[in-house]
Amino acid sequence: MSFSFATTSPRFAHLQRETSESSIDLSLNLDGTGESDIQTSVPFFDHLLTAFAKHSLTDLTVRARGDIEIDVHHTVEDVGILLGQAIKQALGDKSGISRYGDAVVPLDEALVQAVVDISGRPYLVHQGEPAGFEFHLIGGHFTGSMVRHVFEAIAFNGGLTVHVTVQGGRDPHHIAEAEFKAFARAFRQAKALDPLVSGVPSTKGAL
């Protein structure tokens, strides 16, 4: 396994990850406009990441190849790991950020709440998906259980506290997409630079 890191600005990150299971090149700009160019070889995951970029106002480029002939699991998980690491790197020392964000997002019958704390303490609370969601093959190739797995990878590698609660929903596609959109909107608030904040928003002086 190898990693390489490079930054061109405090809120930008470009990372690469190579393992025997996947090869990933990812760049993001936290101060973007929501532009994205996603090619993970997993179509529904591309759809979810595009929604995340759009609604978080994060410019995101991903190129990923993996052993999807076995399962999409390795590729999806590794992209989530790298995305979390890129977020952490791009945030820098977190000076001036709002830190907290929350959002409630509908998609037709689905309704999801997400809360994000850029705390430096990785934690995920993920609840409310209907019974059987984790077994459903969305688009015929993306297992519902991967939704939680991606949030775990992002939260634990990004140093984020994340709560995602599905308040209602029936269609697995709608539920998964609403989860990513809610997370995106909450993250957008949390990463935003607040002109009223001086330094790091913590009584400890560090996050």
Side-chain angles (χ1 to χ4, degrees), residues 55-194:
H55 294 284
S56 68
L57 296 182
T58 299
D59 292 345
L60 180 64
T61 300
V62 182
R63 293 290 181 274
R65 294 179 291 103
D67 55 0
I68 61 171
E69 71 281 0
I70 296 174
D71 191 359
V72 304
H73 186 111
H74 297 148
T75 301
V76 171
E77 178 182 30
D78 288 354
V79 170
I81 289 170
L82 209 61
L83 178 55
Q85 291 174 345
I87 287 170
K88 184 175 183 178
Q89 182 176 334
L91 284 166
D93 68 359
K94 307 179 183 72
S95 292
I97 63 168
S98 295
R99 179 175 169 176
Y100 300 102
D102 69 275
V104 179
V105 172
L107 180 53
D108 295 346
E109 87 296 342
L111 185 67
V112 177
Q113 180 187 34
V115 181
V116 171
D117 175 10
I118 301 175
S119 62
R121 298 186 305 278
Y123 205 91
L124 175 68
V125 176
H126 181 267
Q127 57 193 352
E129 290 175 345
F133 175 89
E134 67 272 27
F135 305 119
H136 189 84
L137 280 177
I138 306 172
H141 65 277
F142 188 90
T143 310
S145 62
M146 293 307 301
V147 174
R148 177 190 174 95
H149 208 40
V150 173
F151 286 132
E152 286 175 337
I154 295 172
F156 280 81
N157 287 276
L160 308 176
T161 298
V162 178
H163 288 246
V164 177
T165 302
V166 178
Q167 298 182 353
R170 177 185 53 81
D171 183 275
H173 183 140
H174 291 171
I175 293 168
E177 187 173 340
E179 290 187 65
F180 270 77
K181 287 179 175 177
F183 172 67
R185 293 289 297 193
F187 178 67
R188 173 180 168 177
Q189 293 177 15
K191 73 178 174 74
L193 296 173
D194 186 336

Side-chain angles (χ1 to χ4, degrees), residues 33-36 49-58 184 188:
T33 60
E35 295 295 318
S36 63
L49 291 177
T50 299
F52 165 76
K54 183 71 171 179
H55 294 284
S56 68
L57 296 182
T58 299
R188 173 180 168 177

